[in-house]
Amino acid sequence: MTNLPTDANQPLSLIYLDANATTQVLPQAAAAALSTMETLFGNPSSSHVTGLQAKQIMDKTRQQAKQIVGADSGKIIFTSGATEGIQTAILSALINAKKNLNNTISNGKDYCLLYGATEHKAVPESLKHWNEILEINAEVKEIPVDELGQLDMDFIAKEVPNALMICTMAVNNETGVYQNINLLDKTIRANNPNTAWMVDCVQALGKTSLNLNQTSIDYAPFSGHKLYAPKGIGFMYVKENAPFTAFIAGGGQESGLRSGTENLPGLAALSVIFSMLLGESESSFAPVETLELFRQQIVSALTKAFPEIVFNNSFEHSVATTINFAIPGFSSKEIMDLFDAANIRVSSGSACSSKVTRSFVLDAMGLPAWQSESAIRMSFGPAMTQTQIDIACNRIASAAQALLQSCLTLDLNSTDTMDSHNINDKAELDGLVQFKVGGSCSWLYVDKKSNSAVFIDPLPEVSNRLQTLLTCRGLKLVAVIDSHGHADHESCRTSIAKEFLAQQQADTLGWPDNTPTINIHGNQYQYISLGKKWLIKVPTPGHTDDSISLILCEPVQASTDNLVVHYAFCGDLILMDSLGRTNFSTSSAPDMYTSLQLLKSLIGNDSLICPSHDYNNEFTTSISAEMSRNSLLTQVIENSINSKEFSIQKYIMDKRIIDESGSEIMCGALIGDCDKKPVREYDSASLAEAMKHSNTIKLIDIREPHEYVLQHDESFAENVPLTRLVQFVQEHQQDKQTQFVLVCRSGSRSHLAAQALSRLGFDQVGHLKGGYALHQY
Ligand code: PLP
């Protein structure tokens, strides 16, 4: 029986490079918090000794905070964190603004609320929220930033005269870029001496010096958990005489400015951090010069590991503790998965939209879309040590090595030629690979024995990856073929053909000239050989008039034989839960009707279909799997509808595409509601229990090979990366009753794959909920 992998098998200590998200609590701070919970647990409002002792801690922390932020005058109010500080500041400023607006005739002035385009979402969301609740109805305006992330001073000078409030940040959380506070101060006050000004100082604390009293900043929120104190404690600075309205009313704590019994453990921990910053106790914090050396070391390690890396922040304009970068050809999700496998925690620093993950901060800086979609943030705090940096740099090198081994990158530092690459070192590649970009698919088929490959429906996004793979493995590209002229995306077929098939003459879809033909069931078809297999071209017009299907099968012996099919690449003829649309100018529904019947006669009901779209993460399908939910297809296959009736129904179906697809060009309308079958979910306890009682459970690690090599247990599961799932389905058609349990990093890929397998008849499939992430802890 196999065991789940544990850290004990591959002991990789955790390297945490996500300090801008949060930090671990320093042991000294945790000890102080614990002591206030166990011993000095008083309520600072109580007048007995235990209460007085608690109050002393609070008073001390407040004094320290004043010193650290340079606030001899003004108030320091303890809060639950920065988001509360932001609310309090915005509420205070807007209630005051409303009062003033009520007292004056607005003389037609259009008021606005200004915020920097790269602010943390807590700022614009709170501005919009309170603007609406208080019925101020000012225009909420974003201050643009330049390519360095610096605020546009001309815009501020122009807009601030009408601003009821302006919100900026000291240091950006995604890029570490700092703003010139003195210049901002001058620009704002020269144009509006009275507007309320909040500066979010969350990421500045402990990383740059602050002198709030020497500025005209009215409010500055801070957060404890970004600097080694626990979550749930923060504070805010409020300038002397700045308007103030309590956000939380109640028992009158914090002189009535913020009610609620104080978070004494948090305050005690904060006090320890402050003592270190003030040099009052032995400090765990490295000076800024050391942090800069750390940054240099990481940047060199990254550049050596990934020579094509692009840094998204200018180091000259950023604090030393944040590095934001992108690696051409890799999404942030892929790099996150890779680093997670190397036990380095980083962040994609981005917000999720429905389809792609991208960074609104980098978008605001006007960086190219790919940089924003691929952005990775590495951030560390001042408690970082040289040893941790050294380990991080070694791990970065191993992660890059894992990509090399998977042929996802080429060794640009090496002077080796293609021939001298040690191909035997590379992870095995034989068979079908699926590349997915959004809802579109490209397919690569490799025949290892003959070292040949064919690429079908090549998307430009995977062009580099494919070229790297071909070069790295020394594969001979036999053909690069589109299943039709795509309306929704560019193909990179011609550029790949130019690079790898310069001598080949081919038609407009890339099918090579002068290929042999074979008679199957009375029709002549062209084919090409891939090792011992054939790729047969079958014209299947309908979606477009040039549509073809490509059938990968065993060589045909006699014209009456049924094909032994491995995969049918049918473009947009049959899509998962759909049929390709037939409302383009070159479409024909009657032709599609004929093509569907022809395809079925050649591949039968159970061959795997590999379409050029997968809008719903189902990976592959078959005619029988589609017939169970696509009644129109069923009627065509069963001949219970004629071509004319099909065309009418198809017209109705296609009309739905326009309504449902939004801005994306969908190549087929989804028929069902895409509800997925529930699959069995295990946690580590229930999986261990199930494995105790059954020796037939088969664990499958579905991470990509580069993640797998960095962190896996030899005795553990077989590796079937998601990109190879379709081949797994093909090879296990007779194994559908096996109890496969799929595992990945976080449980999301394993869930998708298990659902896909379940739909295709793998009835016993399950997955490990939460993946390795939850199993290890
Ligand atoms: N502002 C910035 C710049 C931040 O980085 C964060 C946290 O990510 C916040 C505000 C919100 O802080 P908190 O988690 O303390 O509410």
Side-chain angles (χ1 to χ4, degrees):
M1 195 185 79
T2 54
N3 292 314
L4 286 170
T6 64
D7 256 5
N9 295 322
Q10 288 275 318
L12 282 184
S13 58
L14 170 68
I15 293 296
Y16 187 78
L17 289 173
D18 199 16
N20 287 8
T22 195
T23 50
Q24 76 271 34
V25 177
L26 281 188
Q28 303 92 311
L34 190 64
S35 139
T36 63
M37 289 191 269
E38 289 180 343
T39 321
L40 294 169
F41 56 85
N43 184 329
S45 301
S46 304
S47 50
H48 49 62
V49 171
T50 314
L52 292 174
Q53 286 168 336
K55 185 160 184 308
Q56 194 188 22
I57 294 175
M58 203 171 79
D59 291 343
K60 179 182 171 195
T61 315
R62 201 183 315 273
Q63 276 315 316
Q64 290 174 313
K66 283 191 160 194
Q67 252 180 290
I68 283 167
V69 302
D72 316 330
S73 60
K75 298 183 233 3
I76 293 289
I77 304 165
F78 292 115
T79 62
S80 62
T83 304
E84 185 191 322
I86 291 166
Q87 303 310 300
T88 311
I90 291 176
L91 185 71
S92 297
L94 294 200
I95 286 187
N96 183 58
K98 189 172 167 93
K99 231 185 280 165
N100 291 340
L101 289 178
N102 288 343
N103 292 341
T104 54
I105 303 155
S106 82
N107 61 23
K109 222 170 167 183
D110 292 324
Y111 289 102
C112 64
L113 303 172
L114 299 177
Y115 70 96
T118 58
E119 295 297 303
H120 187 279
K121 283 292 171 207
V123 172
E125 291 311 310
S126 306
L127 277 175
K128 288 175 203 159
H129 181 74
W130 293 113
N131 185 37
E132 195 185 318
I133 300 250
L134 297 172
E135 295 179 340
I136 290 178
N137 301 323
E139 193 180 345
V140 182
K141 284 190 183 170
E142 200 176 86
I143 310 163
V145 294
D146 62 16
E147 69 285 359
L148 297 173
Q150 312 261 277
L151 289 164
D152 182 337
M153 294 295 160
D154 293 340
F155 183 93
I156 294 176
K158 184 166 148 269
E159 297 288 343
V160 83
N162 290 342
L164 301 176
M165 181 174 201
I166 174 164
C167 300
T168 62
M169 72 200 310
V171 172
N172 183 270
N173 46 307
E174 283 193 30
T175 57
V177 167
Y178 49 74
Q179 299 297 330
N180 183 338
I181 295 290
N182 288 336
L183 182 60
L184 261 172
D185 202 342
K186 281 196 195 117
T187 312
I188 293 171
R189 293 312 170 200
N191 294 284
N192 188 341
N194 298 322
T195 195
W197 181 21
M198 180 187 80
V199 178
D200 175 344
C201 290
V202 169
Q203 300 288 351
L205 189 65
K207 296 162 196 167
T208 55
S209 59
L210 291 161
N211 251 320
L212 297 179
N213 268 173
Q214 288 178 16
T215 70
S216 69
I217 294 169
D218 294 293
Y219 312 97
F222 295 85
S223 180
H225 73 102
K226 309 285 184 183
L227 198 70
Y228 308 102
K231 290 155 192 68
I233 185 72
F235 64 100
M236 72 183 292
Y237 158 83
V238 181
K239 193 176 150 212
E240 187 91 58
N241 299 326
F244 192 87
T245 300
F247 176 58
I248 302 179
Q253 289 87 347
E254 293 290 275
S255 311
L257 302 179
R258 199 276 189 186
S259 287
T261 302
E262 294 85 349
N263 173 358
L264 201 68
L267 283 168
L270 205 52
S271 177
V272 169
I273 303 298
F274 287 164
S275 297
M276 291 187 188
L277 287 177
L278 292 168
E280 294 169 354
S281 63
E282 198 184 327
S283 176
S284 305
F285 298 152
V288 171
E289 303 75 57
T290 310
L291 299 179
E292 273 164 7
L293 291 176
F294 289 169
R295 169 168 67 186
Q296 263 175 32
Q297 198 180 332
I298 294 190
V299 166
S300 328
L302 283 169
T303 312
K304 183 153 187 269
F306 307 103
E308 293 179 299
I309 194 168
V310 174
F311 292 98
N312 296 326
N313 59 334
S314 146
F315 300 147
E316 211 184 305
H317 297 88
S318 315
V319 289
T321 46
T322 307
I323 302 164
N324 194 312
F325 61 87
I327 301 172
F330 292 90
S331 68
S332 33
K333 166 91 175 59
E334 285 172 312
I335 297 296
M336 290 264 299
D337 288 342
L338 175 73
F339 282 152
D340 236 359
N343 232 355
I344 306 178
R345 303 288 181 262
V346 296
S347 119
S348 61
S350 9
C352 251
S353 73
S354 60
K355 263 190 154 179
V356 276
T357 314
R358 52 188 307 136
S359 157
F360 74 88
V361 170
L362 301 184
D363 287 348
M365 288 161 62
L367 298 193
W370 80 266
Q371 268 170 259
S372 169
E373 283 160 20
S374 309
I376 290 289
R377 175 185 73 186
M378 277 185 170
S379 54
F380 53 90
M384 196 64 175
T385 64
Q386 183 64 57
T387 312
Q388 287 170 313
I389 292 286
D390 291 344
I391 300 174
C393 292
N394 284 339
R395 295 275 180 82
I396 289 168
S398 319
Q401 192 58 35
L403 289 185
L404 275 179
Q405 230 179 304
S406 288
C407 280
L408 290 174
T409 50
L410 285 177
D411 189 353
L412 299 182
N413 296 318
S414 152
T415 50
D416 286 359
T417 60
M418 185 181 101
D419 297 337
S420 61
H421 279 286
N422 188 351
I423 290 159
N424 292 334
D425 268 1
K426 316 292 181 200
E428 175 90 349
L429 181 57
D430 189 18
L432 189 64
V433 190
Q434 181 178 30
F435 296 94
K436 282 187 28 172
V437 181
S440 300
C441 303
S442 295
W443 302 90
L444 170 72
Y445 184 82
V446 175
D447 180 73
K448 188 161 178 257
K449 262 204 191 116
S450 63
N451 233 16
S452 54
V454 64
F455 197 26
I456 297 166
D457 285 326
L459 293 157
E461 290 87 344
V462 298
S463 169
N464 282 346
R465 186 164 296 194
L466 180 88
Q467 299 194 28
T468 302
L469 217 135
L470 291 177
T471 308
C472 169
R473 291 183 185 277
L475 291 169
K476 179 178 177 309
L477 188 66
V478 172
V480 50
I481 308 166
D482 277 317
S483 59
H484 58 289
H486 298 279
D488 62 330
H489 63 263
E490 294 280 317
S491 159
C492 63
R493 188 183 56 70
T494 39
S495 64
I496 291 186
K498 210 157 131 196
E499 183 72 27
F500 291 89
L501 298 166
Q503 307 304 323
Q504 189 180 73
Q505 302 293 314
D507 68 13
T508 50
L509 293 178
W511 184 266
D513 287 354
N514 304 320
T515 49
T517 59
I518 178 78
N519 185 308
I520 307 169
H521 304 170
N523 292 322
Q524 286 296 120
Y525 297 104
Q526 290 176 287
Y527 69 93
I528 48 184
S529 300
L530 264 169
K532 290 200 171 135
K533 298 194 178 62
W534 283 8
L535 188 71
I536 299 179
K537 177 173 102 166
V538 180
T540 46
H543 176 64
T544 58
D545 55 7
D546 63 356
S547 292
I548 56 172
S549 293
L550 299 161
I551 301 175
L552 187 80
C553 58
E554 293 298 312
V556 179
Q557 308 296 341
S559 67
T560 50
D561 282 356
N562 285 331
L563 296 182
V564 180
V565 178
H566 293 268
Y567 306 102
F569 305 94
C570 69
D572 290 1
L573 178 59
I574 298 176
L575 300 176
M576 264 77 84
D577 206 17
S578 184
L579 296 174
R581 64 196 287 176
T582 42
N583 57 359
F584 290 131
S585 61
T586 63
S587 297
S588 157
D591 282 355
M592 178 172 275
Y593 178 88
T594 313
S595 295
L596 287 169
Q597 292 197 330
L598 173 66
L599 189 72
K600 142 79 184 161
S601 74
L602 289 168
I603 70 167
N605 279 355
D606 296 321
S607 300
L608 289 189
I609 289 178
C610 304
S612 56
H613 290 286
D614 178 11
Y615 294 116
N616 200 27
N617 280 317
E618 295 188 324
F619 303 93
T620 183
T621 194
S622 64
I623 289 182
S624 59
E626 289 310 305
M627 281 169 71
S628 67
R629 61 182 178 181
N630 182 340
S631 62
L632 188 55
L633 175 67
T634 308
Q635 291 172 78
V636 176
I637 300 299
E638 291 177 348
N639 243 328
S640 61
I641 191 174
N642 64 29
S643 167
K644 200 163 160 209
E645 288 159 345
F646 170 78
S647 303
I648 293 167
Q649 288 202 40
K650 192 70 193 6
Y651 174 77
I652 296 165
M653 189 173 140
D654 284 345
K655 264 185 67 176
R656 285 178 38 197
I657 300 174
I658 315 294
D659 305 334
E660 288 173 7
S661 62
S663 56
E664 186 189 13
I665 299 180
M666 301 280 279
C667 292
L670 297 177
I671 295 165
D673 50 14
C674 293
D675 268 356
K676 296 198 170 164
K677 263 204 211 156
V679 292
R680 183 174 301 175
E681 292 196 318
Y682 294 91
D683 57 23
S684 26
S686 61
L687 181 55
E689 189 61 23
M691 289 175 71
K692 221 168 27 183
H693 297 294
S694 159
N695 56 7
T696 55
I697 289 182
K698 227 173 148 213
L699 297 176
I700 306 282
D701 184 328
I702 60 152
R703 293 175 304 164
E704 292 304 311
H706 50 273
E707 298 168 70
Y708 185 72
V709 296
L710 282 167
Q711 190 187 50
H712 76 281
D713 174 354
E714 295 297 339
S715 65
F716 178 66
E718 184 185 339
N719 181 213
V720 180
L722 213 52
T723 43
R724 315 293 309 280
L725 190 73
V726 180
Q727 178 167 346
F728 177 84
V729 173
Q730 208 277 337
E731 287 170 353
H732 292 80
Q733 288 294 327
Q734 308 309 322
D735 254 351
K736 288 189 173 171
Q737 292 313 308
T738 303
Q739 284 181 282
F740 293 113
V741 178
L742 313 186
V743 190
C744 68
R745 179 178 72 92
S746 69
S748 93
R749 282 175 286 178
S750 60
H751 192 207
L752 280 182
Q755 285 175 319
L757 291 185
S758 162
R759 191 180 74 82
L760 295 169
F762 291 78
D763 293 330
Q764 307 295 323
V765 70
H767 86 116
L768 180 63
K769 198 174 174 194
Y772 292 118
L774 298 189
H775 169 69
Q776 288 173 1
Y777 303 102

mmCIF file of all heavy atoms in Angstrom, residues 20-21 80-84 86 120 122 169 171-173 200 202-203 222-226, ligand 1:
data_model
loop_
_atom_site.group_PDB
_atom_site.id
_atom_site.type_symbol
_atom_site.label_atom_id
_atom_site.label_comp_id
_atom_site.label_asym_id
_atom_site.label_seq_id
_atom_site.Cartn_x
_atom_site.Cartn_y
_atom_site.Cartn_z
ATOM 1 N N ASN A 20 3.997 40.988 1.956
ATOM 2 C CA ASN A 20 3.059 42.088 1.746
ATOM 3 C C ASN A 20 1.617 41.626 1.949
ATOM 4 O O ASN A 20 0.721 42.448 2.133
ATOM 5 C CB ASN A 20 3.216 42.674 0.344
ATOM 6 C CG ASN A 20 4.491 43.483 0.214
ATOM 7 O OD1 ASN A 20 5.328 43.482 1.124
ATOM 8 N ND2 ASN A 20 4.656 44.168 -0.903
ATOM 9 N N ALA A 21 1.402 40.314 1.909
ATOM 10 C CA ALA A 21 0.052 39.795 2.191
ATOM 11 C C ALA A 21 -0.132 39.720 3.702
ATOM 12 O O ALA A 21 -1.119 40.207 4.243
ATOM 13 C CB ALA A 21 -0.140 38.429 1.564
ATOM 14 N N SER A 80 -8.813 47.658 14.419
ATOM 15 C CA SER A 80 -8.651 46.218 14.155
ATOM 16 C C SER A 80 -7.691 45.973 12.995
ATOM 17 O O SER A 80 -7.277 44.838 12.760
ATOM 18 C CB SER A 80 -10.005 45.607 13.806
ATOM 19 O OG SER A 80 -10.495 46.218 12.629
ATOM 20 N N GLY A 81 -7.379 47.001 12.246
ATOM 21 C CA GLY A 81 -6.500 46.828 11.082
ATOM 22 C C GLY A 81 -6.652 48.032 10.175
ATOM 23 O O GLY A 81 -7.362 49.000 10.509
ATOM 24 N N ALA A 82 -6.015 47.965 9.020
ATOM 25 C CA ALA A 82 -6.015 49.137 8.144
ATOM 26 C C ALA A 82 -7.369 49.374 7.497
ATOM 27 O O ALA A 82 -7.760 50.519 7.275
ATOM 28 C CB ALA A 82 -4.950 48.973 7.077
ATOM 29 N N THR A 83 -8.095 48.313 7.193
ATOM 30 C CA THR A 83 -9.386 48.523 6.528
ATOM 31 C C THR A 83 -10.301 49.348 7.431
ATOM 32 O O THR A 83 -11.010 50.249 6.959
ATOM 33 C CB THR A 83 -10.026 47.178 6.132
ATOM 34 O OG1 THR A 83 -9.091 46.468 5.322
ATOM 35 C CG2 THR A 83 -11.311 47.352 5.362
ATOM 36 N N GLU A 84 -10.251 49.085 8.719
ATOM 37 C CA GLU A 84 -11.058 49.894 9.642
ATOM 38 C C GLU A 84 -10.543 51.335 9.677
ATOM 39 O O GLU A 84 -11.337 52.291 9.688
ATOM 40 C CB GLU A 84 -11.028 49.288 11.049
ATOM 41 C CG GLU A 84 -11.956 50.030 11.992
ATOM 42 C CD GLU A 84 -11.770 49.634 13.458
ATOM 43 O OE1 GLU A 84 -11.535 48.449 13.751
ATOM 44 O OE2 GLU A 84 -11.868 50.549 14.311
ATOM 45 N N ILE A 86 -9.117 52.902 7.293
ATOM 46 C CA ILE A 86 -9.529 53.544 6.032
ATOM 47 C C ILE A 86 -10.995 53.988 6.122
ATOM 48 O O ILE A 86 -11.355 55.113 5.762
ATOM 49 C CB ILE A 86 -9.287 52.567 4.846
ATOM 50 C CG1 ILE A 86 -7.786 52.391 4.632
ATOM 51 C CG2 ILE A 86 -9.976 53.048 3.580
ATOM 52 C CD1 ILE A 86 -7.397 51.222 3.726
ATOM 53 N N HIS A 120 -4.925 50.112 -2.772
ATOM 54 C CA HIS A 120 -5.552 48.865 -2.323
ATOM 55 C C HIS A 120 -7.069 49.034 -2.474
ATOM 56 O O HIS A 120 -7.604 50.121 -2.237
ATOM 57 C CB HIS A 120 -5.184 48.630 -0.857
ATOM 58 C CG HIS A 120 -5.625 47.311 -0.322
ATOM 59 N ND1 HIS A 120 -6.911 47.083 0.104
ATOM 60 C CD2 HIS A 120 -4.956 46.159 -0.136
ATOM 61 C CE1 HIS A 120 -7.021 45.832 0.530
ATOM 62 N NE2 HIS A 120 -5.839 45.246 0.394
ATOM 63 N N ALA A 122 -9.480 48.458 -0.744
ATOM 64 C CA ALA A 122 -10.204 48.968 0.422
ATOM 65 C C ALA A 122 -10.485 50.464 0.275
ATOM 66 O O ALA A 122 -11.478 50.970 0.797
ATOM 67 C CB ALA A 122 -9.390 48.724 1.701
ATOM 68 N N MET A 169 -1.351 56.539 -1.429
ATOM 69 C CA MET A 169 -0.679 55.543 -0.593
ATOM 70 C C MET A 169 0.813 55.834 -0.527
ATOM 71 O O MET A 169 1.387 56.384 -1.464
ATOM 72 C CB MET A 169 -0.960 54.120 -1.093
ATOM 73 C CG MET A 169 -0.292 53.724 -2.367
ATOM 74 S SD MET A 169 -1.098 52.285 -3.176
ATOM 75 C CE MET A 169 -1.224 51.104 -1.864
ATOM 76 N N VAL A 171 3.291 53.421 0.056
ATOM 77 C CA VAL A 171 4.007 52.359 -0.649
ATOM 78 C C VAL A 171 2.974 51.379 -1.194
ATOM 79 O O VAL A 171 2.058 50.976 -0.474
ATOM 80 C CB VAL A 171 4.978 51.615 0.304
ATOM 81 C CG1 VAL A 171 5.581 50.391 -0.379
ATOM 82 C CG2 VAL A 171 6.093 52.541 0.785
ATOM 83 N N ASN A 172 3.139 51.007 -2.456
ATOM 84 C CA ASN A 172 2.159 50.089 -3.056
ATOM 85 C C ASN A 172 2.407 48.645 -2.640
ATOM 86 O O ASN A 172 3.551 48.194 -2.571
ATOM 87 C CB ASN A 172 2.203 50.209 -4.587
ATOM 88 C CG ASN A 172 1.159 49.338 -5.234
ATOM 89 O OD1 ASN A 172 1.401 48.186 -5.546
ATOM 90 N ND2 ASN A 172 -0.041 49.875 -5.377
ATOM 91 N N ASN A 173 1.315 47.940 -2.387
ATOM 92 C CA ASN A 173 1.437 46.564 -1.896
ATOM 93 C C ASN A 173 1.843 45.560 -2.973
ATOM 94 O O ASN A 173 2.419 44.528 -2.678
ATOM 95 C CB ASN A 173 0.137 46.117 -1.222
ATOM 96 C CG ASN A 173 -1.089 46.457 -2.035
ATOM 97 O OD1 ASN A 173 -1.285 47.600 -2.429
ATOM 98 N ND2 ASN A 173 -1.913 45.473 -2.311
ATOM 99 N N ASP A 200 -2.510 55.936 2.870
ATOM 100 C CA ASP A 200 -2.466 54.542 3.343
ATOM 101 C C ASP A 200 -0.983 54.188 3.551
ATOM 102 O O ASP A 200 -0.213 54.097 2.601
ATOM 103 C CB ASP A 200 -3.117 53.676 2.257
ATOM 104 C CG ASP A 200 -3.040 52.183 2.561
ATOM 105 O OD1 ASP A 200 -2.234 51.788 3.429
ATOM 106 O OD2 ASP A 200 -3.774 51.423 1.908
ATOM 107 N N VAL A 202 0.165 51.431 5.160
ATOM 108 C CA VAL A 202 0.290 50.029 5.570
ATOM 109 C C VAL A 202 1.635 49.424 5.180
ATOM 110 O O VAL A 202 2.319 48.801 5.985
ATOM 111 C CB VAL A 202 -0.863 49.203 4.946
ATOM 112 C CG1 VAL A 202 -0.635 47.718 5.124
ATOM 113 C CG2 VAL A 202 -2.181 49.610 5.575
ATOM 114 N N GLN A 203 2.029 49.618 3.925
ATOM 115 C CA GLN A 203 3.238 48.928 3.446
ATOM 116 C C GLN A 203 4.500 49.748 3.688
ATOM 117 O O GLN A 203 5.593 49.331 3.285
ATOM 118 C CB GLN A 203 3.100 48.596 1.953
ATOM 119 C CG GLN A 203 1.932 47.692 1.617
ATOM 120 C CD GLN A 203 2.133 46.242 2.078
ATOM 121 O OE1 GLN A 203 3.221 45.847 2.516
ATOM 122 N NE2 GLN A 203 1.067 45.437 2.024
ATOM 123 N N PHE A 222 -2.687 52.150 9.488
ATOM 124 C CA PHE A 222 -1.604 51.160 9.567
ATOM 125 C C PHE A 222 -2.194 49.815 9.974
ATOM 126 O O PHE A 222 -3.273 49.750 10.558
ATOM 127 C CB PHE A 222 -0.576 51.572 10.636
ATOM 128 C CG PHE A 222 0.167 52.840 10.316
ATOM 129 C CD1 PHE A 222 -0.380 54.088 10.648
ATOM 130 C CD2 PHE A 222 1.403 52.783 9.697
ATOM 131 C CE1 PHE A 222 0.302 55.258 10.350
ATOM 132 C CE2 PHE A 222 2.092 53.955 9.406
ATOM 133 C CZ PHE A 222 1.542 55.198 9.733
ATOM 134 N N SER A 223 -1.418 48.761 9.718
ATOM 135 C CA SER A 223 -1.893 47.416 10.038
ATOM 136 C C SER A 223 -0.772 46.628 10.713
ATOM 137 O O SER A 223 0.369 46.658 10.244
ATOM 138 C CB SER A 223 -2.290 46.749 8.722
ATOM 139 O OG SER A 223 -2.762 45.461 8.967
ATOM 140 N N GLY A 224 -1.104 45.894 11.779
ATOM 141 C CA GLY A 224 -0.081 45.144 12.516
ATOM 142 C C GLY A 224 0.412 43.900 11.797
ATOM 143 O O GLY A 224 1.598 43.566 11.841
ATOM 144 N N HIS A 225 -0.522 43.219 11.093
ATOM 145 C CA HIS A 225 -0.125 41.907 10.561
ATOM 146 C C HIS A 225 0.812 41.968 9.365
ATOM 147 O O HIS A 225 1.311 40.947 8.906
ATOM 148 C CB HIS A 225 -1.360 41.034 10.259
ATOM 149 C CG HIS A 225 -2.145 41.445 9.050
ATOM 150 N ND1 HIS A 225 -2.032 40.786 7.855
ATOM 151 C CD2 HIS A 225 -3.057 42.422 8.859
ATOM 152 C CE1 HIS A 225 -2.863 41.334 6.972
ATOM 153 N NE2 HIS A 225 -3.493 42.329 7.557
ATOM 154 N N LYS A 226 1.068 43.176 8.866
ATOM 155 C CA LYS A 226 2.038 43.293 7.776
ATOM 156 C C LYS A 226 3.446 43.433 8.334
ATOM 157 O O LYS A 226 4.417 43.502 7.602
ATOM 158 C CB LYS A 226 1.737 44.524 6.906
ATOM 159 C CG LYS A 226 0.316 44.630 6.419
ATOM 160 C CD LYS A 226 0.019 43.666 5.303
ATOM 161 C CE LYS A 226 -1.391 43.899 4.789
ATOM 162 N NZ LYS A 226 -1.784 42.968 3.765
HETATM 163 N N1 PLP B 1 -3.796 48.892 2.359
HETATM 164 C C1 PLP B 1 -2.773 48.199 1.849
HETATM 165 C C2 PLP B 1 -1.748 48.905 1.007
HETATM 166 C C3 PLP B 1 -2.647 46.838 2.102
HETATM 167 O O1 PLP B 1 -1.609 46.165 1.588
HETATM 168 C C4 PLP B 1 -3.643 46.211 2.885
HETATM 169 C C5 PLP B 1 -3.590 44.753 3.065
HETATM 170 O O2 PLP B 1 -3.317 44.001 2.134
HETATM 171 C C6 PLP B 1 -4.688 46.966 3.413
HETATM 172 C C7 PLP B 1 -4.732 48.307 3.127
HETATM 173 C C8 PLP B 1 -5.743 46.337 4.290
HETATM 174 O O3 PLP B 1 -5.178 46.042 5.545
HETATM 175 P P1 PLP B 1 -5.890 45.131 6.656
HETATM 176 O O4 PLP B 1 -5.686 43.731 6.253
HETATM 177 O O5 PLP B 1 -5.160 45.437 7.926
HETATM 178 O O6 PLP B 1 -7.309 45.537 6.747
#
